[in-house]
Amino acid sequence: FFENGGLTFEGSSAPESCACGRFLRIFDPAFGDKLGFIGMGIRPLVGSIPTVAEIQARLFAAVVSGSKKLPPTDLMIARAAEDKEMAFREFGEDNKNAISSSNGWKGVTNWIPYMDIIAREVGCEPSNWWLIFRPLLAAKVMVGPMTVVHYRLRGPGAQYKTARKIMSGLPIASRVYDLMFYTAVHWTLALFKWP
């Protein structure tokens, strides 16, 4: 609402400006499912904002449609506080300067674990069973470039045939250095985060 030339909010305060202070970096607990931040204040250390925003949008759509419910406000506040503290520890003291969006590292995230957390909420995370039953697909997921297509292989909104076709066209690292890099990123940051 605009009042006297300025922006005011119903309630006691403006939405949380620190991305890591929101529940899953999307929902301000004070506003619940009435407001979601997609692609704002989120910056992967490696990777792209649109890829992260797409998985955030899928969770937001699930919440808005009613197929997914947010936890009670006190649990969202506790989880946001834990995530904020973890971000401060992970990215250093600069991240504690979390007053506005123009300072510190608070918008930065390790994108694969973060997207896996959101995918788990949506129900579209990659499966550990692929290592046994679909090893070629698992290899593409683990040592190929990370894309949002990984999260279209199963779960709500899955487009398996299309996603599989796109994945088959993606390269697997060709240089030993690239292979080691992709393997390290996916195995250490992603595989152990999957349930």
Side-chain angles (χ1 to χ4, degrees):
F1 298 95
F2 285 94
E3 188 176 279
N4 299 329
L7 187 62
T8 62
F9 297 89
E10 290 181 3
S12 59
S13 64
E16 175 66 60
S17 63
C18 177
C20 57
R22 298 190 288 259
F23 177 66
L24 299 176
R25 296 182 177 239
I26 302 170
F27 301 98
D28 183 331
F31 290 85
D33 61 2
K34 305 289 186 262
L35 176 67
F37 293 87
I38 310 296
M40 297 178 65
I42 197 103
R43 178 66 182 105
L45 279 174
V46 176
S48 68
I49 294 171
T51 304
V52 175
E54 199 270 349
I55 196 77
Q56 287 180 319
R58 287 177 70 186
L59 178 59
F60 183 71
V63 169
V64 169
S65 72
S67 65
K68 190 81 180 162
K69 297 268 187 223
L70 290 177
T73 304
D74 59 333
L75 292 178
M76 287 197 293
I77 290 169
R79 173 67 186 271
E82 287 173 16
D83 289 349
K84 195 176 201 177
E85 185 56 39
M86 184 177 76
F88 292 168
R89 280 194 318 269
E90 206 169 13
F91 300 112
E93 290 297 310
D94 285 346
N95 211 24
K96 290 191 176 179
N97 189 11
I99 298 165
S100 75
S101 60
S102 62
N103 55 30
W105 286 69
K106 66 207 151 292
V108 176
T109 186
N110 280 318
W111 74 318
I112 295 172
Y114 174 72
M115 289 193 302
D116 282 350
I117 289 167
I118 302 295
R120 197 171 302 125
E121 293 294 324
V122 173
C124 63
E125 73 279 8
S127 172
N128 286 337
W129 290 107
W130 293 347
L131 291 168
I132 298 166
F133 297 109
R134 295 181 182 158
L136 294 177
L137 178 60
K140 284 281 189 172
V141 169
M142 300 310 280
V143 296
M146 179 63 182
T147 68
V148 76
V149 175
H150 289 65
Y151 303 110
R152 290 292 181 178
L153 291 164
R154 60 188 295 256
Q159 298 174 1
Y160 181 79
K161 288 182 180 178
T162 304
R164 187 71 196 263
K165 184 178 180 183
I166 292 168
M167 297 252 343
S168 68
L170 294 174
I172 288 183
S174 56
R175 298 182 304 169
V176 173
Y177 172 81
D178 293 336
L179 185 61
M180 289 170 53
F181 173 76
Y182 285 135
T183 301
V185 168
H186 289 287
W187 279 86
T188 60
L189 296 180
L191 182 64
F192 297 113
K193 298 279 184 174
W194 296 347

